[in-house]
Amino acid sequence: MKWNKFRLETTTEAEDIVSSMLMDLGIEGVQIEDKVPLTAADKEQMFVDILPEIEEDDGVAYLSFYLDEEMDKAELDQILANIRQELEEMSAYVNVGTGTIEESQTEDIDWVNNWKKYFHQFYVDDILIIPSWEDVKPEDSDKVVIHIDPGTAFGTGMHETTQLCIRQIRKYVTPDTRILDVGCGSGILGMLALKFGAAYSVGTDLDPCAIEATHENMEVNGIRKDQYEIMIGNIIDDKEVQDKAGYEVYDIVAANILAPVLVELTPVIVNQMKPGAVYITSGIIDDKEEMVVEAVKKAGLEVLEVTYQGEWVSVTARKNG
């Protein structure tokens, strides 16, 4: 099925009100492109694998929307006329920019599954990370195998930050380990901990998509729900999540998130850690290493080691006493 795509040029100042106007006219699913810097809340929710690189804000925003190609031409012309009329009226009190609308055609795309063509099996040391639609080769029968379909949640294991965490978790896990993964995404770290021999995994995430993604991955990996629990919410400031996760109950806490969030998380998450527990952090770009090391020390933790892969850093520490 083909769609008519319309790309409206406006300003970042007006993008919210123009989006609202489009929805009022019955247009749903507006896509916004701009260069507005991420807010602290945006960054907090962007648990890696992907770190966005955004150019300097130029004040221009593009709003794209789609209409059925089979829509009657008269109806289509009326919709566009209504949009232009609304833009003209808005221009009296807000800078709507050029207001130009470009038209093109696009094929119907399965956005949720389109990423699959880019994700193929790969190795982290002797660990084979493989999507469900690929087969394990006979020569890989001796590997630690984990099946991962991230779906709409972050976490394929391909990013250096995740691989740094995987290696550190494997180093410190024991048969008695209870591990908490803050920002669990697809559940890859918690599931690998279980495959390395851990007793129990808990994951928290801000994105509700993480629940479905993790449960689906648990099923294909033969991991039971009494082995891995996942909860949605911000453990940094949500007491309900903190209480549900529990206090001084974890032997390992892993957090593969951005450095500024780690600074906020660290003094809180020490309450979930047992005395002697290990804290494994990643998602740290190299020039933010000292920021995280200082936060870890300030929270009373002992830095055990700092490891590197590419331009990324992992800081591992221990809660003594």
Side-chain angles (χ1 to χ4, degrees):
M1 181 176 180
K2 290 186 177 181
W3 296 80
N4 288 316
K5 177 181 178 180
F6 298 90
R7 191 167 185 254
L8 189 161
E9 181 176 329
T10 184
T11 65
T12 53
E13 174 188 357
E15 65 181 35
D16 288 339
I17 192 170
V18 174
S19 296
S20 178
M21 175 267 288
L22 293 173
M23 286 187 284
D24 288 344
L25 292 177
I27 295 171
E28 300 178 355
V30 177
Q31 176 187 344
I32 299 176
E33 304 167 65
D34 61 30
K35 298 175 184 175
V36 176
L38 297 173
T39 65
D42 292 331
K43 292 177 181 178
E44 184 177 283
Q45 296 185 58
M46 300 202 74
F47 294 99
V48 292
D49 290 344
I50 301 171
L51 274 171
E53 294 184 3
I54 300 177
E55 300 175 20
E56 186 176 350
D57 181 20
D58 58 5
V60 178
Y62 296 94
L63 277 57
S64 296
F65 56 94
Y66 301 83
L67 299 173
D68 190 340
E69 184 193 33
E70 297 182 2
M71 178 180 290
D72 180 77
K73 186 176 185 304
E75 183 181 359
L76 176 59
D77 289 344
Q78 186 60 56
I79 290 174
L80 295 178
N82 290 342
I83 292 172
R84 292 188 174 99
Q85 177 65 32
E86 292 286 344
L87 288 171
E88 184 177 347
E89 294 177 5
M90 282 182 192
S91 66
Y93 56 88
V94 66
N95 178 14
V96 298
T98 66
T100 56
I101 302 174
E102 296 179 0
E103 181 178 353
S104 60
Q105 283 192 329
T106 183
E107 295 287 347
D108 194 11
I109 298 174
D110 183 354
W111 298 104
V112 172
N113 293 305
N114 194 45
W115 56 270
K116 289 183 177 181
K117 62 186 176 185
Y118 303 107
F119 181 36
H120 303 285
Q121 58 184 282
F122 64 100
Y123 304 93
V124 178
D125 304 329
D126 65 338
I127 303 163
L128 173 64
I129 299 175
I130 183 170
S132 63
W133 58 90
E134 294 188 8
D135 298 322
V136 178
K137 301 171 186 175
E139 58 265 32
D140 288 328
S141 59
D142 61 337
K143 300 286 192 298
V144 176
V145 178
I146 183 160
H147 300 271
I148 289 292
D149 294 354
T152 55
F154 285 125
T156 63
M158 296 181 73
H159 201 279
E160 291 97 327
T161 59
T162 312
Q163 295 178 24
L164 284 165
C165 274
I166 289 170
R167 292 188 177 99
Q168 292 303 96
I169 289 171
R170 191 175 199 178
K171 183 174 182 177
Y172 289 98
V173 78
T174 73
D176 297 322
T177 292
R178 291 176 63 91
I179 182 172
L180 171 64
D181 178 16
V182 180
C184 61
S186 65
I188 184 171
L189 295 180
M191 289 187 294
L192 274 172
L194 294 170
K195 286 183 176 285
F196 296 153
Y200 192 73
S201 289
V202 174
T204 71
D205 205 289
L206 299 180
D207 186 354
C209 295
I211 293 181
E212 183 177 358
T214 299
H215 284 168
E216 289 178 354
N217 287 322
M218 287 168 58
E219 184 175 353
V220 297
N221 284 284
I223 293 172
R224 305 183 310 273
K225 290 186 178 180
D226 63 355
Q227 295 177 289
Y228 193 142
E229 180 183 4
I230 181 169
M231 55 192 76
I232 298 302
N234 190 345
I235 199 167
I236 293 175
D237 58 15
D238 189 331
K239 180 114 179 4
E240 184 177 346
V241 177
Q242 295 169 4
D243 291 346
K244 188 174 180 182
Y247 299 93
E248 293 197 343
V249 292
Y250 297 100
D251 304 282
I252 295 176
V253 171
N256 183 21
I257 51 185
L258 302 179
V261 185
L262 289 171
V263 171
E264 296 182 52
L265 171 69
T266 302
V268 176
I269 209 66
V270 292
N271 298 310
Q272 273 64 45
M273 298 167 62
K274 293 179 181 177
V278 173
Y279 183 45
I280 298 170
T281 68
S282 191
I284 309 161
I285 196 72
D286 50 15
D287 64 1
K288 296 290 193 295
E289 175 185 338
E290 193 56 36
M291 173 194 294
V292 176
V293 169
E294 287 182 6
V296 166
K297 290 179 178 178
K298 188 175 180 181
L301 303 176
E302 174 195 0
V303 176
L304 298 178
E305 58 183 317
V306 180
T307 53
Y308 306 88
Q309 186 171 339
E311 61 182 351
W312 299 97
V313 181
S314 172
V315 177
T316 301
R318 177 182 287 125
K319 178 181 179 180
N320 294 319

